[in-house]
């Protein structure tokens, strides 16, 4: 028996030597399963005490091999731990990075196959690159939050008491009206508040998902392509460059000078160098600080340290903005006044009740010493407290924070459609106060669609590539092919080339391949790269040290900003391919060529080369330091990046609105001046004294006093480093400006954080820049920046409209109730009626006024200063005029209404209530324009406003005509409705007249700081 098993195992394990490595693994898997099944069947037979052996062994076994057997020779958990713990020894046991790539079925050059089946299998075995988010706040959470409001709780207590005593006194059929109606009104207020907050929260959740959906570059089937971070799978080859966020945990495959900022994981601010030998480990959530490279993904989603951390964190987008903080202060100030008035009303009503100065419905004295029942006294007290509390409800403008929330949520949604994604709510408001915008050139003012249009060899422009000397042509091709972070992909020999990389890299690669006939792969195979100095915005150049495989000679190639490369050269190739000395006269000629190209709005890039002498080769190889002097200039290329259509108009719009636009660019002075003039940032005659255009180095070397003196005059800063940008932002802020800054590079992060509003670019922007910004401009277009400015002003303006509308109601309701309570001993507007008014002005009013779209008028005014009061003199003028009119009319109705119209007290109270509500409806139109007399302009475009006005009127008719018991009203005839509408409509001509009254510049309440 054992002999048969032994022979069986030997025959299975005896794998032919010719089998490939993957086939050997399958052979081993087959043997393992076969043997385990044989053993299992033998054990079963032994247990059944059966000694019979099968007469014949089947010649085959049916294997149910699951998909994950494809990755059977590597345990994923162990691999995850190796990377997390940076365990080099264990990594070597796996066969190093190459062994892991082999086990994960990844080609280190071409990546995974990436077909649907391959991706699905990898996701099934290793998981997807997502992590569970904390559950979103439910609707009931917001209902409970609304219940926490103290005034709501007091009202509910009053409603409960009123309901209890009402039912006890009048029975269930009649007694539930007072308490029940307060319950219904409170329920309505809570519902509307909870629904608004819930919807806003849902919107923020959606925005959060969009902002987390980062695009990542991967290599699949030899093709570099961009995919969502959530689509990355284990085995993917991910391309990394400066500013990228590492998308998953993995191992370094290939690259140069790669440095990673791991502060988000470790808290250490020092950058960590990543390479093949000492530290090949990369972690999700970290940022690339320098260099470039490719990584092999080993774990995704919840298997990464970052995934574990992020699943416990919920990003709270409901931060309190500066405007909300100011409004909360304003709300509490008004609330205190309301409480004082409510307390006075309470005292007056209680005193009048106990001194026998109040009468019941039948005209009898309500309180009559010891004869009055305890139930009646409690009922009366509940009614008085409910009236006082309701005054507090009306006095406290809870609608203000709601209005801000609605305005911000609405504007965020609309801004998203206008290509701007808000990351920080406060930026919406602050943008309305911006006084200056510092913008990049490339991709923001220009299209970022670069094309090589000029090439100079020596001192002559080259029109036809066939005229270039063969040796020089080879040098150019080497300089382009080996000193680049871009790549070329061609599916088949007949198909078109696909270029990837930065726009500049793509332009140069395209020119070299299509016009110079460069074969990138062939060149790469003939050379081995020894060291690379990656391009960054401070050095403005990149270099490569390489060895030619054929003769072992070492060469160095440089590429970068023309004047910087020119300064490193001591000779140049002329058109015939001869090397000429670069003396001062020749150098000046080249500088003029560069200036001429720059003046034509061309970005000028130079190529230089040097062969390292044999005696210095060893030193150069050991130090791996690139030679930076005595180079030979190969040539100059001019790259055209046309201005975006519509940029000039957007710049003019900003300037017309009192916002200065400044351009900060890494290009040289002449290119910068040409583009700035083309875009309208600089007038042709503006830079006569040389103060409007300045170089970064010059600005940096000014004394602090000189900088502060000249910064306001600067319109263009050329050849600037990120530090110069930061310095300019700091100077402008010290001068009192509200500064908005656009940026796309990693090094722009300090300036984006320092600015009042940081605007990063959605297409060209690095993840580091986006993380540091407040708003992401999704299409990289300056016109979108101008749109954000318009929306910022719209937010501020809408909130001012609502404040004016709400305070008019507050002032009128407080004065009317207070005067009536003190003089007549009763409140004309009941608790339910006041709650209804509260609902109209707080929620429906906020919806109507907070959703007005930006108008051209907003861009005709200068920016609103940060210190200017929220309630301007214009608002005080409009507000007080309307409030005084309402108080005068309603108090006249209160004291003389019965005799004027010959109606009963109940009808008169209904007339007061109806007129008061209709006054608010008409005043809502007045609030649409703070200064303009024509309040109907653009009304037809705001369907929501018209809808809310319609709903308010319909509900008011229902309240008056059909809800007699609930709202404590009496039906009105057509004549009485006409009177109410006529009185309310008078607020339109009053508003028109009042807007003609001039107001002073000095704030009305300059001694009060909201």
């Amino acid at each position: 028996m054992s002999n048969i098993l032994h022979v069986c195992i030997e025959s299975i394990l005896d794998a032919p030597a010719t089998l490939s490595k993957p086939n050997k693994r399958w052979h081993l898997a087959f043997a393992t399963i076969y043997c385990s099944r044989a053993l299992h069947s033998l054990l079963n037979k032994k247990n059944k005490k059966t000694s019979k052996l099968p007469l014949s062994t089947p010649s085959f076994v049916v294997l149910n091999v699951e998909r994950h057997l494809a990755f059977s020779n590597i345990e994923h958990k162990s691999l995850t731990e190796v990377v997390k713990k940076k365990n080099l020894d264990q990594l070597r046991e796996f066969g190093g990075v190459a062994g892991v790539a082999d086990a994960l079925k990844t080609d280190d050059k071409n990546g995974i196959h990436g077909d649907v089946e391959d991706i699905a299998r990898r996701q099934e075995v290793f998981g997807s690159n997502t992590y569970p988010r904390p559950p979103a706040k439910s609707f009931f959470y917001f209902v409970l939050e609304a219940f926490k409001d103290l005034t709501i709780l007091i009202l509910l207590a009053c409603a409960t008491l009123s309901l209890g005593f009402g039912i006890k006194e009048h029975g269930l059929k009649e007694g539930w009206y007072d308490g029940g109606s307060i319950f219904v009104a409170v329920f309505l207020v809570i519902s509307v508040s909870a629904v608004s907050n819930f919807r806003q929260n849902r919107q923020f959740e959606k925005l959060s998902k969009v902002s987390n959906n980062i695009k990542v570059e991967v290599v699949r089937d030899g093709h570099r392509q961009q995919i969502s971070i959530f689509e990355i799978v284990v085995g993917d080859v991910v391309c990394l460059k400066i500013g990228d966020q590492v998308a998953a945990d993995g191992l370094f495959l290939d690259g140069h000078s790669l440095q990673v900022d791991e502060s988000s994981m470790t808290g250490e601010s020092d950058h960590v160098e990543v390479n093949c030998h000492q530290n090949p480990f990369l972690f999700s959530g970290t940022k690339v600080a320098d260099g470039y490279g490719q990584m092999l993904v080993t774990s995704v989603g919840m298997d990464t340290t970052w995934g574990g951390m992020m699943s416990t964190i919920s990003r709270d987008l409901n931060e309190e903005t500066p405007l909300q903080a100011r409004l909360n202060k304003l709300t509490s100030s008004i609330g205190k006044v309301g409480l004082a008035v409510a307390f006075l009303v309470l005292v007056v009503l209680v005193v009048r009740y106990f001194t026998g100065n109040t009468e019941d419905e039948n005209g009898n004295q309500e309180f009559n010493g010891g004869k009055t029942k305890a139930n009646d006294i409690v009922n009366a007290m509940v009614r008085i407290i409910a009236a006082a509390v309701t005054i507090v409800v009306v006095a406290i403008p809870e609608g203000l924070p709601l209005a801000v929330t609605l305005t911000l949520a609405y504007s965020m949604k609309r801004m998203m459609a206008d290509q701007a994604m808000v990351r920080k709510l406060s930026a919406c408001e602050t943008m309305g106060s911006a006084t200056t915008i510092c913008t990049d050139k490339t991709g923001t003012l220009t299209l970022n669609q670069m094309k090589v249009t000029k090439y100079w060899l020596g001192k002559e422009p080259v029109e036809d590539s066939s005229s270039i000397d063969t040796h020089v042509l080879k040098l150019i091709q080497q300089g382009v092919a080996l000193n680049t972070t871009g790549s070329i992909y061609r599916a088949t020999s007949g198909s078109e080339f696909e270029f990837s990389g930065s726009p500049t890299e793509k332009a140069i690669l395209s020119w070299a391949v299509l016009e110079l006939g460069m074969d990138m792969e062939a060149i790469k195979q003939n050379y081995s790269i020894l060291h690379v100095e990656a391009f960054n915005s401070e050095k403005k150049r990149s270099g490569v040290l390489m060895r030619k495989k054929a003769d072992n000679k070492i060469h160095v190639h440089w590429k970068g900003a023309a004047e910087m490369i020119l300064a490193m050269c001591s000779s140049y190739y002329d058109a015939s391919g001869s090397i000429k000395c670069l003396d001062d006269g020749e150098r000046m000629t080249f500088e003029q060529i560069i200036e001429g190209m720059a003046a034509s709005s061309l970005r000028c890039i130079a190529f230089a080369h040097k062969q390292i002498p044999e005696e210095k080769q060893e030193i150069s190889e050991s130090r791996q330091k690139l030679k930076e002097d005595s180079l030979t200039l190969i040539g100059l290329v001019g790259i055209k990046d046309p201005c975006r259509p519509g940029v000039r108009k957007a710049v003019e719009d900003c300037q017309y609105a009192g916002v200065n636009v400044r351009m900060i660019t890494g290009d040289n002075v002449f290119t910068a001046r040409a583009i700035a003039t083309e875009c309208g940032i600089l007038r042709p005659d503006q830079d006569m004294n040389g103060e409007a255009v300045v170089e970064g180095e010059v600005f940096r070397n000014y004394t602090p006093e000189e900088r502060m003196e000249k910064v306001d005059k600067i319109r263009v800063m050329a050849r600037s480093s990120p530090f110069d940008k930061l310095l300019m932002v700091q100077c402008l802020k010290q001068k009192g400006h509200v500064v908005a800054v656009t940026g796309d590079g990693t090094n722009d992060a300090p300036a984006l954080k320092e600015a009042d509003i940081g605007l990063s670019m959605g297409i060209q922007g690095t993840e580091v820049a986006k993380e540091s910004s407040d708003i992401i401009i999704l299409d990289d277009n300056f016109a979108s920046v101008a749109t954000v400015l318009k929306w910022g002003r719209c937010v501020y303006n809408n909130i001012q409209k609502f404040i004016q509308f709400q305070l008019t109601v507050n002032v009128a309701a407080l004065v009317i109730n207070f005067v009536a309570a003190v003089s007549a001993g009763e409140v004309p507007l009941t608790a339910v009626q006041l709650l209804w008014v509260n609902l109209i002005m707080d929620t429906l009013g906020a919806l109507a006024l907070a959703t007005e779209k930006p108008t051209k008028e907003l861009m005709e005014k200068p920016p609103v200063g940060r210190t200017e009061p929220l309630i301007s003199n214009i608002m005080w003028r409009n507000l007080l005029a309307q409030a005084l009119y309402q108080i005068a009319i309603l108090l006249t109705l209160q004291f003389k209404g019965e005799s004027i119209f010959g109606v009963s007290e109940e009808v008169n109270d209904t007339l007061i209530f109806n007129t008061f509500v209709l006054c608010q409806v008409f005043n809502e139109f007045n609030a649409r324009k703070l200064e303009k007399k024509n309040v109907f302009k653009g009304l037809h475009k705001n369907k929501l406003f018209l809808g809310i006005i319609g709903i308010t009127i319909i509900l008011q008719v229902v309240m008056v005509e059909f809800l007699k018991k609930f709202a404590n009203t009496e039906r009105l005839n057509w004549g009485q409705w006409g009177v109410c509408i006529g009185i309310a409509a008078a607020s339109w001509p009053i508003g028109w007249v009042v807007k003609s009254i001039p107001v002073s510049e000095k704030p009305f309440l300059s001694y009060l700081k909201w």
Side-chain angles (χ1 to χ4, degrees), residues 455 457 462 464-473 476 511 516 575:
Y455 171 58
L457 179 56
V462 176
D464 183 16
S465 60
S466 60
S467 63
I468 303 171
D469 177 73
T470 314
H471 175 61
V472 176
L473 185 65
I476 297 165
W511 167 72
L516 306 184

Side-chain angles (χ1 to χ4, degrees), residues 924-942:
E924 217 160 325
F925 286 88
N926 285 329
R928 286 189 72 243
K929 307 282 179 190
L930 297 178
E931 293 176 67
K932 301 281 179 185
K933 290 180 179 179
N934 182 5
V935 295
F936 305 108
K937 190 179 178 184
L939 185 64
H940 63 284
K941 291 179 184 174
N942 195 342

Side-chain angles (χ1 to χ4, degrees), residues 201-267:
N201 188 263
R202 278 281 172 275
Q203 194 174 327
F204 289 158
E205 288 284 335
K206 280 181 192 169
L207 276 175
S208 178
K209 280 177 189 169
V210 172
S211 64
N212 289 334
N213 189 8
I214 299 162
K215 292 290 177 195
V216 181
E217 200 168 61
V218 297
V219 179
R220 285 183 178 174
D221 209 16
H223 184 203
R224 259 167 94 159
Q225 52 190 280
Q226 281 205 336
I227 62 167
S228 163
I229 191 168
F230 304 127
E231 292 170 9
I232 284 178
V233 291
V234 169
D236 257 326
V237 173
V238 177
C239 304
L240 300 172
K241 60 183 184 298
I242 294 178
D244 282 355
Q245 179 177 314
V246 180
D249 286 4
L251 297 165
F252 178 84
L253 275 174
D254 182 31
H256 295 280
S257 315
L258 190 66
Q259 290 196 334
V260 175
D261 175 6
E262 292 187 354
S263 57
S264 59
M265 304 292 290
T266 62

Side-chain angles (χ1 to χ4, degrees), residues 458-459 540-541 558-573 581-595 604-609 628-636 719:
K459 293 180 284 183
K540 293 187 171 36
R541 63 177 191 262
W558 281 97
K559 173 183 79 182
E563 62 267 39
M564 293 190 174
I565 298 294
L566 184 66
M568 295 158 66
C569 295
S570 59
S571 56
Y572 68 95
Y573 282 100
C581 181
L582 192 62
D583 58 25
D584 290 344
E586 302 285 354
R587 196 176 292 276
M588 197 171 284
T589 307
F590 276 106
E591 283 171 359
Q592 285 169 353
I593 291 169
I594 293 165
E595 283 176 23
C604 206
I605 307 285
F607 293 90
H609 162 262
E628 295 186 11
D629 58 357
S630 306
L631 304 175
T632 304
L633 185 73
I634 305 172
L636 303 167
R719 280 285 176 251

Side-chain angles (χ1 to χ4, degrees), residues 772-848:
S772 306
S773 67
D774 305 309
I775 296 173
I776 299 171
I777 304 298
L778 298 172
D779 61 353
D780 290 18
N781 191 345
F782 184 80
S784 300
V785 177
T787 307
V788 171
L789 178 72
K790 201 184 284 184
W791 270 109
R793 291 190 173 191
C794 181
V795 167
Y796 196 83
N797 191 251
N798 283 353
I799 288 162
Q800 281 192 316
K801 290 175 190 175
F802 182 68
I803 290 170
Q804 179 187 298
F805 170 67
Q806 181 153 40
L807 290 189
T808 307
V809 189
N810 283 41
V811 171
L814 273 179
V815 173
I816 294 158
N817 271 7
F818 178 68
V819 172
V822 171
S823 57
E826 60 181 6
V827 180
L829 299 167
T830 65
V832 172
Q833 289 171 354
L834 282 175
L835 280 168
W836 166 235
V837 172
N838 198 47
L839 187 70
I840 292 172
M841 68 182 188
D842 269 16
T843 311
L844 297 177
L847 264 173

Side-chain angles (χ1 to χ4, degrees), residues 27 63 74 219 292 318 393 407 455 648 707 762 863 872 970 987:
H27 198 90
L63 283 175
I74 192 157
V219 179
Y292 61 90
N318 304 329
V393 171
T407 304
Y455 171 58
R648 192 180 183 93
R707 272 200 294 271
S872 65
E970 292 290 330
S987 63

Side-chain angles (χ1 to χ4, degrees), residues 177-338:
Y177 290 134
D178 281 349
S181 55
I182 297 175
F183 266 124
V184 172
V186 169
F187 171 75
L188 271 172
V189 171
I190 286 172
S191 300
V192 173
S193 170
V195 167
S196 303
N197 288 329
F198 177 69
R199 285 191 63 201
Q200 176 219 352
N201 188 263
R202 278 281 172 275
Q203 194 174 327
F204 289 158
E205 288 284 335
K206 280 181 192 169
L207 276 175
S208 178
K209 280 177 189 169
V210 172
S211 64
N212 289 334
N213 189 8
I214 299 162
K215 292 290 177 195
V216 181
E217 200 168 61
V218 297
V219 179
R220 285 183 178 174
D221 209 16
H223 184 203
R224 259 167 94 159
Q225 52 190 280
Q226 281 205 336
I227 62 167
S228 163
I229 191 168
F230 304 127
E231 292 170 9
I232 284 178
V233 291
V234 169
D236 257 326
V237 173
V238 177
C239 304
L240 300 172
K241 60 183 184 298
I242 294 178
D244 282 355
Q245 179 177 314
V246 180
D249 286 4
L251 297 165
F252 178 84
L253 275 174
D254 182 31
H256 295 280
S257 315
L258 190 66
Q259 290 196 334
V260 175
D261 175 6
E262 292 187 354
S263 57
S264 59
M265 304 292 290
T266 62
E268 295 292 327
S269 56
D270 292 340
H271 295 158
V272 178
E273 189 166 339
V274 180
N275 51 42
C276 290
H277 311 296
Q278 288 93 15
N279 178 31
F281 305 104
L282 287 149
F283 298 100
S284 176
T286 57
K287 309 282 193 304
V288 179
D290 200 3
Y292 61 90
Q294 289 186 331
M295 71 173 269
L296 171 70
V297 175
T298 56
S299 47
V300 292
M302 287 302 290
D303 290 329
T304 66
T305 316
W306 183 253
M309 280 166 50
M310 291 307 287
S311 64
T312 59
I313 300 167
S314 81
R315 183 176 162 202
D316 189 14
L317 277 157
N318 304 329
E319 89 265 25
E320 188 174 69
T321 69
L323 190 53
Q324 279 174 323
R326 282 171 83 184
L327 282 172
N328 286 342
K329 247 181 165 182
L330 177 64
T331 303
S332 65
S333 303
I334 297 166
K336 284 169 191 169
V337 175

Side-chain angles (χ1 to χ4, degrees), residues 674-687:
I675 292 284
T677 307
E678 200 178 328
C679 293
I681 293 169
L682 207 62
R683 292 193 305 275
D685 59 336
Q686 200 169 356
D687 193 35

